Amino acid sequence: MKWSTNLIPFSPCIDRFCTGGYRPPISLKERIELAAQIDGLNGVELHYPSLFRETDVPRVKDYLKDNGLDCSVVSPALSGEAKWQNGSLTNPDERIRADAIGLIKEAMDIAKELGANRINLWMGQDGYDYPLQVDHGRIWELLVEGVNECARHNPQVKICLESKLKEPRTHSALGSIAKVLLLANTVGLPNVGANLDTGHAFMAYENPAEWAVILHKHNRLFHLHLNDNYGDWDWDMVVGTVHFAEFLELLFWLRQIGYDGWYSLDQFPTREDPRKALELSIRNVKAMDQVAQGLNAKEVLAAVRRHDAISTIDQIRQSLFATYK
Amino acid sequence: MKWSTNLIPFSPCIDRFCTGGYRPPISLKERIELAAQIDGLNGVELHYPSLFRETDVPRVKDYLKDNGLDCSVVSPALSGEAKWQNGSLTNPDERIRADAIGLIKEAMDIAKELGANRINLWMGQDGYDYPLQVDHGRIWELLVEGVNECARHNPQVKICLESKLKEPRTHSALGSIAKVLLLANTVGLPNVGANLDTGHAFMAYENPAEWAVILHKHNRLFHLHLNDNYGDWDWDMVVGTVHFAEFLELLFWLRQIGYDGWYSLDQFPTREDPRKALELSIRNVKAMDQVAQGLNAKEVLAAVRRHDAISTIDQIRQSLFATYK
Amino acid sequence: MKWSTNLIPFSPCIDRFCTGGYRPPISLKERIELAAQIDGLNGVELHYPSLFRETDVPRVKDYLKDNGLDCSVVSPALSGEAKWQNGSLTNPDERIRADAIGLIKEAMDIAKELGANRINLWMGQDGYDYPLQVDHGRIWELLVEGVNECARHNPQVKICLESKLKEPRTHSALGSIAKVLLLANTVGLPNVGANLDTGHAFMAYENPAEWAVILHKHNRLFHLHLNDNYGDWDWDMVVGTVHFAEFLELLFWLRQIGYDGWYSLDQFPTREDPRKALELSIRNVKAMDQVAQGLNAKEVLAAVRRHDAISTIDQIRQSLFATYK
Amino acid sequence: MKWSTNLIPFSPCIDRFCTGGYRPPISLKERIELAAQIDGLNGVELHYPSLFRETDVPRVKDYLKDNGLDCSVVSPALSGEAKWQNGSLTNPDERIRADAIGLIKEAMDIAKELGANRINLWMGQDGYDYPLQVDHGRIWELLVEGVNECARHNPQVKICLESKLKEPRTHSALGSIAKVLLLANTVGLPNVGANLDTGHAFMAYENPAEWAVILHKHNRLFHLHLNDNYGDWDWDMVVGTVHFAEFLELLFWLRQIGYDGWYSLDQFPTREDPRKALELSIRNVKAMDQVAQGLNAKEVLAAVRRHDAISTIDQIRQSLFATYK
C-alpha cells in the first residue's frame, strides 16, 4: 500500500462559521514537513496553483525530496476562488471555461514533471443550487467536450475524475461515481478515469467496493480517496471511525482486483491534531486490511457467489473478533 | 399528454405491517373498470404474469377495448414471489436467471401483441442487503448479458430499465438513473433505455429534469413514472403534494425536448381512495404544466444559460402566483 | 445480559412486494420452539392479540416454560390490521381510540400475568402521510391523554414507548426518542418510559448511546431493541453488520449506567435463516461488549471529559485490533 | 407579519472551499443600509459581539433609527471563533463555559436596550463529531444548568433556543426541536423557548407546522427562522424554492394559533444578490400566505380532524391553481 494525503489537514480548516479557521495558516514547506512526520506516508497530493506557482516547481521538488515524499497527484484548484463560483468546465462564461481548461493542462504538465502523471479533477463549483437554474443538456455537453480536450493534451497523464453528490453546490455536475463512469465512457479515452472517494461514495449511497470493482472492469479505477462520514455528508473524518464493514469489503476486493495505486487520505480535521488524525486512519486501514486478509478468500468468494450473507457475516466476525471468541 | 397508471393502487396495498392489506382484493377486470373511471386516463400498465396469464391475452384485450384504454407498458413481475428473492437476471442460480429471461421475453411478446411495444424492466430483488454479500463484478456482467439477450429477442420492443436506489433490497443492482444509462450504453442496443421514475430519482438525489434531458441526449428516455415522496423513500404519493419546483422544471424540459411518451402514474395509496388519489395527480400535473407553459420559455432559456437562479425563481413566482401579486 | 427477541423473524416476513412472504407461516408454538434453539436466548417478546388470545395465556405459559424462556415484554398489536390505519391512541374515530386503550390495558394485564411486567407501545399507524393532513395539536393531546389513562391502569406495569421516525406512515406521531421523552415527562408518571430501538435511533440520526444516558438520567430507560441498518431506513438487520462504533459506545455507556434490562432483538430476516440471523446478532454484541470492556474505562472517561476524539479513536483501535497491532 | 433578517447574507458568505468569500466584506452600517432597501423588511437580527461591541450600542441604535428598522433579536456569537470549537455552555473547559454565560448575559442586556427583548441562542459548536467523544450525561446537565442561569439573569428577556441537527459538528447538542422543548420544559422557566428554524426542521425530518403547534401548546414558540433546503442539509435557500406544501401548512397553522412574532430570514446567498434573494423569500411567503388564506379554514379543520388527505390536497390545489382550473 502506497500512502498519500492532500495538505488540507494542515490548513486552518476554515468553515462557514469559523471563518478565522481552527488553527493558524502555515507555509507549503511546513505542511510538507508535517506530512513527512506521519508514520507510513509515502506521498502528498498537491493543489495547484493555490499551494504553489508553476515557477515554484523546482522548489517543490526539493521539499519533496528533502522529506522523502513523492507527489501522488496534482489537483487543479478549481473551487477555491470566487472566480469559479459558477463552475469551471461548465461555467456559463466562455472565458472562464477556457481558463479552467488552461489550468487543468498546466496541472497535467506539472503532474508529469513531478512524476505523479495523474491529476485529480474535482469540479466542486460545477453544478447548480436551485431548480430550473441551468441547462442540463448544455452542462453535459461541456463536461464531455472539456474533459475530452484536457485528456488529449497529454495521453500519458491520467485524469482522475472525482464525483461528489453536493457541496459546495446543492447539486454537483458529477454527483455519482456512476455518472463519472458514464462521462469517462462517453469521452472514451484511456487516460480518463475515476478517483473513487469513499466518503463521497457513502454520501451518494454508492458502495465503494462495488464501484471499485465496476470501475476496474472498465479500466478506469485510477485513484482512491479515503475518509469516513455518517453517510449523510462529506465530513472527511478519520477512516474507520464510522464505517467498518464497507471498508473491509473494499479492502477485500481491492486485493482481488490487484489495485496497485495510491491509498490517499482526504480529511478535514478541524479540532483534531492533523498528524494524529491522519496516522490513525492509516493504522485503522492497515488493521482492517489484516482483518480482510484474515478471511479465507476462497470461502468468501464461494459465499458471495451464492449471495450468502449469513456466511460472510460469520466469517467477518470470526476474523475480526478472533481473540474474543 | 397521454396518461397511464399501473394497477397497484387497486390492490390491497399490503405492507410489511398491515399484511392483510388496507382494502379487499379485486379482479383484474374490476381494476381496469375502476381505472377507466379516472378522469383523463388513456392507458394502463399491466404486470405479467401476476395479473394475467399468456392465455388470458384475448380477454385482457377485450377489457381494455371495453373500457377505452390502451396498454401503455407490460411489466414482467420479477419481484413478487419468493422465487426471485435473490434476484432475476443476477440471481446466483442459473436456472432462475433463465426463467427470468424467459419471462421477460414473454412480456415482450405480449407487449407487442397488446400494442404497447415496450416493457418496464424493474428488477426489484436484484441487489444485496449486507456488505460483502455479492460479487459485484459478476452482478454487472449478468446485467449486461441478460439485458443484451432480452433486447435482441425483439428489437421492435423497447426495454425501459427502471432504476431504484433501494427497497426491497438495501442496495439495488440498478440504483441510479446514471447507472441505468451506463448499462444501456454498455449494452449499446437502440431498444434499451430508461423508465425515469420521479420518486426513484428524488430518492437517489437525482433531479428528474436533469436526467430527462441527459437520457434524451442519448435517445434513451423511453418512459416516465410519476409519483411523489419526501426525497427519503419511495412513498409513491400523489404527484405534486411534496415536490413542486422539480416537477415544474421537469415539465418545462419535457416540452423543450419534445417528449411524446406516456405520463404514467406509479402510486401506492394505502389509506386514500385510489381513483381520487390518481385523479388528483393528473390534475396537479396538468396545472403545473400550465404554470410551466405560463413561463416565457425564451427568458427562462436565457436565464439558465447564465445560471441565473434569481431570475428563474422570480419567473416561477410570477407564473405560479399570477393571481396573488 | 438477558437476551430476548420478538417472533417476527419466524413469520413469513411479508413486504409490499413479496406479499406471499419469503417463507411459510408457522404456529406460535413452533415459533417459540425455534426461538428456544437460539444460543443464548432467555426470553421472547409476544405480540397480543395477533399471536394469541387472552384465553390462550395458560397455553402460552406452558410453551414458554417448556422451552425455558421468559416473556420479556408484551406488545399490543396496533399496526397490523386495516382497522388501525389512521392510528390507535390518536385515531380520529373515538371508538377506535377506545378500542386501542382497551387493548393496551389487556396487554398490560397479560404482561403482569406472564411476569414481564412491561409492554412495548409502538404506535406504527399513528401519524400522517401528507402535509396538512392532521391537527397536530389534537394529536399531541390525544397522546398525552391516552398514555396517561393506560399508565394509570396499573402502575406496576411499565409502558415502554417506542419511537420511530417513519414507516408505515411518512411521519410517525412519535418520531424521535426526544419526543418520546418529552411525552413521558409531560405525562409525568413513573411507569412511562422508553424502549430505545437502535435502528430507529439511527434512522432519526439520534445516537443510541447519547439517548440511553439521557433517558437513564430521567429514569425512563425501560427497554432496548437491537438491530442494525444504514442510517436511512428501518432495515432491521443483524446487529453490528453496519454500525460498529456506535454500538461500542452504547455498550460502554450501558455498563456505566448499570443498565440491567433486556437486550431484545427486533430483526426482519427476509432471505436469511432466522435462527442464524438472530444468533449472529447475539454473538456480535457479545464480542463488541468484550471490546468495550477491553477499554480502560478510567482513561475513556478522562478522554470524553475533555472531548478528546483522537484519544478514544486510538483506544478503540487498540482494543478492537488487539491482535493486529 | 413583521419581517426581519440577520445580516449574514451581506457577509462574504465564506465556505470551507471558497475561503476568500463570494463577495467583499462591508461594514455593519453598510449591511444595515442594504437590508433597509429590502421591500417589506421591518427589522434585523444582530450578532454580538461579532458585529459590534457593547460600547457601539448607541451607534447601532442610530443606524437602525436612520434606516427605519427595529432590532428583532440579538444573537450571541458563540460559533465563529476557534475559542468555541469545543462548545459554549457545554465546553469541557470551565472558564470557557463561564465566558459563554457572560456573553449570553451581555447579549440579553443589549437585547433589552435595543428593545428586542429576546436573544437567539444557537450553540453551533456544542456537540461532538466522533462516537465515544463526549460524556452525554454531562453535556445534558451543562445545558440545563447553563440555560437556567442565563434565563434567571433577566426574566424579561426571552431566550430562543435554536435546534440544529448538525453542522459544524456532526452531532449538535441540541439536534431537534423536540430536544429543545425537552430542555426548555426541564429548565421550566417561562422565558425559555424556541426559535423554530424551518430549514433545521426539514433537516431533522421535523415538520415545522407540527412543531409550531406543539411549541405553542407549551407557550414556547418565541421566534421563527425562515429558509429553505432539500431536507438533507442546511442550505439556507430562498424560501419556497424547494418546499411548498410544508410552508403552506405552517402558514395555515401560524394563523390558527395566532402567532404574532417575527418572520425572520436566515439565508446564505453565496452566488445570488443578497437583497434580491431576501426579497424573493418575502414575496414567496406572502404569496403562499395568501394561498393559505384562500383556503376555507372551516373545511380544512374539518378535514384534518378526520385525517382526510384527499380533501386537503384538493383544497390546496384549488386555492393554488385558482387560475389554472
Side-chain angles (χ1 to χ4, degrees):
Chain A
M1 284 179 166
K2 286 182 303 177
W3 282 95
S4 156
T5 183
N6 62 33
L7 297 176
I8 295 169
F10 304 105
S11 79
C13 286
I14 284 168
D15 64 30
R16 71 176 177 126
F17 301 103
C18 195
T19 54
Y22 291 88
R23 68 177 68 86
I26 56 174
S27 70
L28 173 60
K29 186 163 173 286
E30 290 168 306
R31 293 199 200 190
I32 291 176
E33 286 164 359
L34 277 171
Q37 294 173 25
I38 296 169
D39 190 27
L41 200 81
N42 311 103
V44 287
E45 300 193 359
L46 295 172
H47 281 86
Y48 167 83
S50 50
L51 286 178
F52 64 100
R53 300 285 152 177
E54 203 157 11
T55 50
D56 298 327
V57 170
R59 199 158 53 84
V60 171
K61 274 187 177 170
D62 286 345
Y63 295 164
L64 294 174
K65 197 179 165 194
D66 293 350
N67 288 281
L69 293 170
D70 287 326
C71 172
S72 55
V73 143
V74 174
S75 304
L78 295 164
S79 309
E81 289 175 64
K83 171 186 181 175
W84 308 114
Q85 68 182 275
N86 289 315
S88 59
L89 292 185
T90 69
N91 198 291
D93 183 334
E94 192 178 1
R95 290 161 304 179
I96 295 179
R97 290 200 300 273
D99 285 355
I101 288 175
L103 182 57
I104 293 167
K105 290 179 178 175
E106 283 171 32
M108 291 173 78
D109 294 344
I110 291 168
K112 198 188 164 194
E113 197 167 339
L114 292 176
N117 293 318
R118 71 190 66 208
I119 63 159
N120 181 34
L121 187 48
W122 176 60
M123 293 175 276
Q125 301 283 3
D126 294 75
Y128 58 93
D129 297 316
Y130 286 92
L132 205 55
Q133 183 170 1
V134 297
D135 178 338
H136 303 290
R138 183 77 182 124
I139 297 282
W140 182 253
E141 281 165 16
L142 290 171
L143 284 172
V144 175
E145 290 168 15
V147 171
N148 190 300
E149 179 173 344
C150 295
R152 290 188 187 283
H153 174 62
N154 186 345
Q156 307 309 315
V157 176
K158 286 183 170 162
I159 296 179
C160 311
L161 294 165
E162 182 178 354
S163 68
K164 187 174 177 187
L165 196 60
K166 47 192 167 185
E167 196 211 13
R169 310 310 300 263
T170 72
H171 292 75
S172 307
L174 278 179
S176 62
I177 304 173
K179 201 174 180 185
V180 157
L181 183 49
L182 183 70
L183 175 59
N185 282 356
T186 302
V187 172
L189 296 170
N191 63 327
V192 177
N195 168 16
L196 193 167
D197 182 295
T198 54
H200 298 181
F202 295 142
M203 187 163 52
Y205 206 75
E206 292 186 319
N207 183 350
E210 176 181 344
W211 284 98
V213 170
I214 295 178
L215 287 169
H216 172 75
K217 279 189 105 56
H218 291 82
N219 297 312
R220 301 202 191 275
L221 178 61
F222 286 179
H223 194 57
L224 269 189
H225 264 188
L226 298 175
N227 55 65
D228 211 341
N229 63 41
Y230 293 92
D232 59 328
W233 186 253
D234 188 34
W235 296 111
D236 289 327
M237 297 164 76
V238 174
V239 183
T241 53
V242 181
H243 286 83
F244 175 81
E246 287 94 338
F247 278 113
L248 200 72
E249 187 181 16
L250 173 64
L251 293 163
F252 176 84
W253 285 107
L254 287 175
R255 295 274 172 186
Q256 291 295 315
I257 63 178
Y259 176 73
D260 62 356
W262 288 92
Y263 290 75
S264 197
L265 298 170
D266 178 16
Q267 295 181 219
F268 199 74
T270 45
R271 297 162 187 82
E272 293 76 37
D273 178 82
R275 187 181 60 73
K276 288 183 189 165
L278 297 166
E279 228 161 58
L280 282 174
S281 284
I282 296 176
R283 286 190 190 152
N284 272 345
V285 175
K286 284 185 176 171
M288 291 190 288
D289 189 52
Q290 286 182 62
V291 175
Q293 291 192 60
L295 296 168
N296 180 326
K298 210 171 152 186
E299 279 183 28
V300 170
L301 290 173
V304 297
R305 281 290 170 122
R306 57 179 196 270
H307 300 203
D308 185 348
I310 288 292
S311 169
T312 55
I313 293 169
D314 202 39
Q315 291 181 60
I316 292 171
R317 186 183 62 77
Q318 291 189 39
S319 180
L320 176 60
F321 300 120
T323 51
Y324 295 104
K325 265 180 282 196
Chain B
M1 285 177 167
K2 286 184 301 178
W3 282 95
S4 158
T5 183
N6 62 33
L7 298 176
I8 296 168
F10 304 106
S11 79
C13 286
I14 285 168
D15 64 32
R16 72 173 175 129
F17 300 103
C18 196
T19 53
Y22 292 89
R23 67 178 68 85
I26 56 175
S27 70
L28 173 60
K29 186 163 173 285
E30 289 167 307
R31 292 199 201 190
I32 290 175
E33 285 165 358
L34 276 171
Q37 293 173 27
I38 296 169
D39 190 26
L41 200 82
N42 312 103
V44 288
E45 300 192 0
L46 295 172
H47 282 84
Y48 167 85
S50 49
L51 286 177
F52 64 100
R53 301 284 151 177
E54 204 158 10
T55 50
D56 299 325
V57 171
R59 199 159 53 84
V60 171
K61 274 188 178 170
D62 287 345
Y63 295 164
L64 293 176
K65 197 178 165 195
D66 293 350
N67 288 281
L69 293 170
D70 287 326
C71 173
S72 54
V73 143
V74 174
S75 304
L78 296 165
S79 309
E81 288 173 67
K83 170 185 181 175
W84 308 113
Q85 67 183 278
N86 289 315
S88 57
L89 292 186
T90 69
N91 199 292
D93 183 333
E94 192 178 4
R95 289 160 304 178
I96 296 179
R97 289 201 301 273
D99 285 356
I101 288 175
L103 182 56
I104 293 168
K105 290 180 179 174
E106 284 171 32
M108 291 173 79
D109 295 343
I110 291 168
K112 198 187 164 195
E113 197 167 340
L114 292 176
N117 293 318
R118 72 191 64 209
I119 63 158
N120 181 34
L121 186 47
W122 177 60
M123 291 174 277
Q125 301 283 5
D126 294 74
Y128 58 93
D129 297 317
Y130 287 91
L132 204 55
Q133 182 170 2
V134 297
D135 178 338
H136 304 292
R138 183 78 182 125
I139 297 282
W140 181 253
E141 280 165 17
L142 291 171
L143 285 172
V144 174
E145 290 168 16
V147 171
N148 190 300
E149 178 173 345
C150 295
R152 290 188 187 284
H153 174 63
N154 186 345
Q156 308 308 315
V157 176
K158 286 182 170 162
I159 296 178
C160 312
L161 294 165
E162 182 178 355
S163 68
K164 187 175 178 186
L165 196 59
K166 47 191 166 186
E167 196 210 14
R169 310 310 300 261
T170 72
H171 292 75
S172 307
L174 278 179
S176 63
I177 304 172
K179 201 173 181 186
V180 157
L181 183 48
L182 183 69
L183 175 60
N185 282 355
T186 302
V187 172
L189 297 170
N191 63 327
V192 177
N195 168 16
L196 193 166
D197 182 295
T198 55
H200 298 181
F202 295 141
M203 187 163 50
Y205 207 76
E206 293 186 319
N207 182 349
E210 177 182 343
W211 284 97
V213 170
I214 295 178
L215 287 168
H216 171 75
K217 280 188 106 54
H218 291 82
N219 297 312
R220 301 204 190 274
L221 178 61
F222 287 179
H223 194 57
L224 269 189
H225 264 187
L226 298 175
N227 56 65
D228 211 340
N229 62 43
Y230 293 92
D232 58 327
W233 187 253
D234 189 34
W235 297 111
D236 288 327
M237 298 163 74
V238 174
V239 184
T241 53
V242 180
H243 285 84
F244 175 81
E246 286 93 340
F247 279 113
L248 200 72
E249 187 182 16
L250 173 65
L251 292 163
F252 176 83
W253 285 107
L254 288 175
R255 295 274 173 187
Q256 291 295 314
I257 63 178
Y259 176 73
D260 61 357
W262 288 93
Y263 290 75
S264 197
L265 298 170
D266 178 15
Q267 296 181 217
F268 199 74
T270 44
R271 298 162 188 82
E272 293 76 38
D273 178 82
R275 188 181 60 74
K276 287 183 189 166
L278 296 166
E279 226 161 60
L280 282 174
S281 284
I282 296 176
R283 286 190 190 150
N284 272 344
V285 175
K286 283 185 175 171
M288 291 190 286
D289 188 53
Q290 286 182 62
V291 174
Q293 291 192 60
L295 296 168
N296 181 325
K298 210 172 153 186
E299 280 182 27
V300 170
L301 290 173
V304 298
R305 282 290 170 122
R306 56 180 197 271
H307 300 202
D308 185 348
I310 288 293
S311 169
T312 54
I313 293 169
D314 201 41
Q315 291 182 59
I316 292 171
R317 188 184 60 79
Q318 290 189 39
S319 180
L320 176 60
F321 300 120
T323 51
Y324 293 102
K325 265 178 288 198
Chain C
M1 284 179 166
K2 287 183 302 179
W3 282 96
S4 158
T5 183
N6 61 33
L7 297 176
I8 296 169
F10 304 105
S11 79
C13 287
I14 284 168
D15 64 31
R16 71 174 176 127
F17 300 104
C18 195
T19 54
Y22 292 88
R23 67 178 68 85
I26 56 174
S27 70
L28 173 60
K29 185 162 173 286
E30 290 167 306
R31 293 201 201 189
I32 290 176
E33 286 165 358
L34 276 172
Q37 294 173 27
I38 296 169
D39 189 26
L41 200 81
N42 311 102
V44 288
E45 300 193 0
L46 295 172
H47 281 86
Y48 168 85
S50 49
L51 285 178
F52 64 100
R53 300 285 152 178
E54 206 158 9
T55 50
D56 298 326
V57 171
R59 198 158 54 83
V60 172
K61 274 188 179 171
D62 287 345
Y63 295 164
L64 294 175
K65 198 178 163 194
D66 293 350
N67 289 282
L69 293 170
D70 288 325
C71 172
S72 54
V73 142
V74 175
S75 304
L78 296 164
S79 308
E81 288 175 64
K83 171 186 181 174
W84 309 113
Q85 68 183 277
N86 289 315
S88 59
L89 293 185
T90 69
N91 198 291
D93 183 333
E94 194 178 359
R95 289 159 305 178
I96 295 179
R97 289 200 301 272
D99 285 355
I101 289 175
L103 182 56
I104 293 168
K105 290 178 178 175
E106 284 171 33
M108 292 173 79
D109 295 344
I110 291 168
K112 199 187 162 194
E113 197 167 339
L114 292 176
N117 292 319
R118 70 191 64 210
I119 65 158
N120 182 34
L121 187 47
W122 176 60
M123 292 175 277
Q125 300 283 5
D126 295 73
Y128 58 92
D129 296 316
Y130 286 92
L132 205 55
Q133 183 170 0
V134 297
D135 178 339
H136 303 291
R138 184 76 183 126
I139 298 281
W140 182 253
E141 281 165 15
L142 291 171
L143 285 172
V144 175
E145 290 169 14
V147 171
N148 190 301
E149 179 173 344
C150 295
R152 290 187 188 284
H153 174 63
N154 186 344
Q156 307 309 314
V157 176
K158 286 184 170 160
I159 296 179
C160 311
L161 294 165
E162 182 178 356
S163 68
K164 187 174 177 186
L165 195 60
K166 47 192 167 186
E167 197 211 11
R169 310 310 299 261
T170 72
H171 291 75
S172 307
L174 279 179
S176 62
I177 304 172
K179 201 174 181 185
V180 157
L181 183 48
L182 182 70
L183 175 60
N185 282 355
T186 301
V187 171
L189 297 170
N191 63 327
V192 177
N195 168 16
L196 193 166
D197 182 293
T198 55
H200 297 180
F202 295 141
M203 186 162 53
Y205 206 76
E206 293 185 319
N207 183 349
E210 176 181 343
W211 285 98
V213 170
I214 295 178
L215 287 168
H216 172 74
K217 280 189 104 57
H218 291 82
N219 298 312
R220 301 204 189 274
L221 178 61
F222 287 0
H223 194 58
L224 270 190
H225 265 186
L226 298 175
N227 55 65
D228 211 340
N229 63 42
Y230 293 92
D232 58 328
W233 186 253
D234 188 33
W235 297 110
D236 288 327
M237 297 162 76
V238 175
V239 184
T241 53
V242 181
H243 286 83
F244 174 81
E246 287 93 339
F247 279 113
L248 199 72
E249 187 181 16
L250 173 65
L251 292 163
F252 177 83
W253 285 106
L254 287 175
R255 295 274 173 186
Q256 291 295 314
I257 62 177
Y259 176 74
D260 61 357
W262 288 91
Y263 290 76
S264 198
L265 298 170
D266 178 16
Q267 294 180 220
F268 199 74
T270 45
R271 298 163 188 80
E272 293 77 36
D273 177 82
R275 187 180 62 72
K276 288 185 190 165
L278 297 166
E279 229 162 57
L280 282 174
S281 284
I282 296 175
R283 286 191 190 152
N284 272 344
V285 175
K286 284 185 174 171
M288 291 190 286
D289 189 53
Q290 286 182 62
V291 175
Q293 291 193 60
L295 296 168
N296 180 325
K298 211 172 152 187
E299 278 183 28
V300 171
L301 290 173
V304 297
R305 283 289 170 123
R306 55 178 199 272
H307 300 202
D308 185 348
I310 288 292
S311 169
T312 53
I313 293 169
D314 201 39
Q315 291 181 59
I316 292 171
R317 187 183 60 80
Q318 290 188 40
S319 180
L320 177 60
F321 300 120
T323 51
Y324 294 106
K325 264 180 285 198
Chain D
M1 285 178 165
K2 285 183 302 179
W3 281 95
S4 158
T5 184
N6 61 32
L7 297 176
I8 295 169
F10 304 105
S11 79
C13 286
I14 284 168
D15 64 31
R16 73 175 176 129
F17 300 103
C18 196
T19 54
Y22 292 88
R23 66 178 70 85
I26 56 175
S27 70
L28 173 60
K29 186 162 173 285
E30 290 168 307
R31 292 200 200 188
I32 291 176
E33 285 165 358
L34 276 172
Q37 293 173 26
I38 295 169
D39 190 27
L41 199 82
N42 310 104
V44 288
E45 300 192 359
L46 295 172
H47 281 86
Y48 167 84
S50 50
L51 285 177
F52 64 100
R53 300 285 151 176
E54 203 158 11
T55 50
D56 298 327
V57 171
R59 199 159 54 84
V60 171
K61 274 187 178 172
D62 287 345
Y63 294 164
L64 294 175
K65 198 178 163 194
D66 294 350
N67 288 282
L69 293 170
D70 288 326
C71 172
S72 54
V73 143
V74 174
S75 304
L78 296 164
S79 308
E81 287 174 66
K83 171 186 181 174
W84 308 113
Q85 68 183 277
N86 288 315
S88 59
L89 293 184
T90 69
N91 198 291
D93 183 333
E94 192 179 2
R95 289 160 303 177
I96 294 179
R97 290 201 300 273
D99 284 356
I101 289 176
L103 183 56
I104 292 168
K105 290 180 178 174
E106 284 171 32
M108 292 174 79
D109 295 344
I110 290 169
K112 198 186 164 195
E113 196 168 338
L114 291 176
N117 293 317
R118 72 190 64 210
I119 63 158
N120 182 35
L121 186 47
W122 176 59
M123 292 175 277
Q125 301 283 4
D126 294 74
Y128 58 93
D129 297 317
Y130 286 91
L132 205 53
Q133 183 170 2
V134 297
D135 178 339
H136 303 292
R138 183 78 183 124
I139 297 281
W140 182 253
E141 281 165 16
L142 290 171
L143 284 172
V144 175
E145 291 167 16
V147 171
N148 190 299
E149 178 173 344
C150 294
R152 292 188 187 283
H153 173 63
N154 186 344
Q156 307 308 314
V157 176
K158 286 182 170 160
I159 295 179
C160 311
L161 295 166
E162 183 178 354
S163 67
K164 187 174 176 186
L165 195 60
K166 48 191 166 185
E167 196 213 11
R169 310 310 300 262
T170 72
H171 291 75
S172 307
L174 279 179
S176 63
I177 304 173
K179 202 174 180 185
V180 157
L181 183 49
L182 182 71
L183 174 60
N185 283 356
T186 302
V187 172
L189 297 171
N191 63 327
V192 177
N195 168 17
L196 193 167
D197 183 295
T198 54
H200 298 180
F202 295 141
M203 187 163 50
Y205 206 77
E206 294 185 319
N207 183 349
E210 177 182 343
W211 285 98
V213 169
I214 295 178
L215 287 169
H216 172 75
K217 281 189 105 56
H218 291 81
N219 296 312
R220 301 203 190 275
L221 178 61
F222 287 0
H223 194 59
L224 270 190
H225 264 186
L226 299 175
N227 55 65
D228 211 340
N229 62 43
Y230 293 91
D232 59 327
W233 186 252
D234 189 34
W235 296 111
D236 289 327
M237 297 163 76
V238 174
V239 184
T241 53
V242 180
H243 286 83
F244 175 81
E246 287 93 339
F247 279 113
L248 200 73
E249 186 182 17
L250 173 65
L251 292 163
F252 176 83
W253 285 107
L254 288 175
R255 295 275 173 186
Q256 292 295 314
I257 63 178
Y259 176 73
D260 61 356
W262 288 93
Y263 290 76
S264 198
L265 298 169
D266 178 15
Q267 296 181 219
F268 199 73
T270 45
R271 298 163 188 80
E272 293 75 38
D273 177 82
R275 186 180 62 72
K276 288 184 189 164
L278 297 167
E279 229 161 59
L280 282 174
S281 284
I282 296 176
R283 286 191 191 150
N284 272 345
V285 175
K286 284 185 176 171
M288 290 190 287
D289 189 53
Q290 286 181 62
V291 174
Q293 291 193 59
L295 296 168
N296 181 327
K298 211 172 152 185
E299 279 182 28
V300 170
L301 290 172
V304 297
R305 282 288 171 124
R306 55 178 198 272
H307 300 202
D308 184 347
I310 288 292
S311 169
T312 54
I313 293 169
D314 201 40
Q315 291 181 60
I316 292 171
R317 187 184 60 78
Q318 290 189 39
S319 180
L320 176 61
F321 300 120
T323 52
Y324 294 103
K325 266 180 284 201

